Amino acid sequence: MTTSRIIEFNIEGMDCADCVSTIESEVRRLPGIMAVKVSLVDNSALIKLDTTKVSESAIFDVVEHAGYEVQR
């Protein structure tokens, strides 16, 4: 049974490379994160996760706690 999944979602409030770096580093701290790619141009994130270790909601919460708005 495959437990990995790729999610993509929009993020509002990013305006520089530091924003991208902050979001990527915060999300990577979560257990079960396999890959993170945040795009300032597209205002989006593409994340590969292990669904047995982390939920989408937990990822969204971390991004929001960092000061950005997630399009759920």
Side-chain angles (χ1 to χ4, degrees):
M1 181 163 104
T2 302
T3 59
S4 67
R5 181 168 170 220
I6 296 174
I7 61 170
E8 186 171 14
F9 56 93
N10 291 328
I11 302 172
E12 305 237 350
M14 296 187 297
D15 58 14
C16 65
D18 283 341
C19 296
V20 171
S21 180
T22 296
I23 293 168
E24 288 181 346
S25 66
E26 291 297 316
V27 171
R28 280 192 186 105
R29 290 182 185 179
L30 291 169
I33 298 299
M34 303 162 121
V36 179
K37 173 77 172 126
V38 176
S39 172
L40 181 60
V41 174
D42 296 331
N43 291 317
S44 67
L46 187 65
I47 300 174
K48 184 174 182 181
L49 62 135
D50 180 337
T51 58
T52 65
K53 296 181 180 177
V54 67
S55 67
E56 282 184 40
S57 181
I59 295 167
F60 297 158
D61 289 348
V62 164
V63 174
E64 290 172 340
H65 188 263
Y68 306 93
E69 188 175 329
V70 174
Q71 301 298 309
R72 294 185 186 231

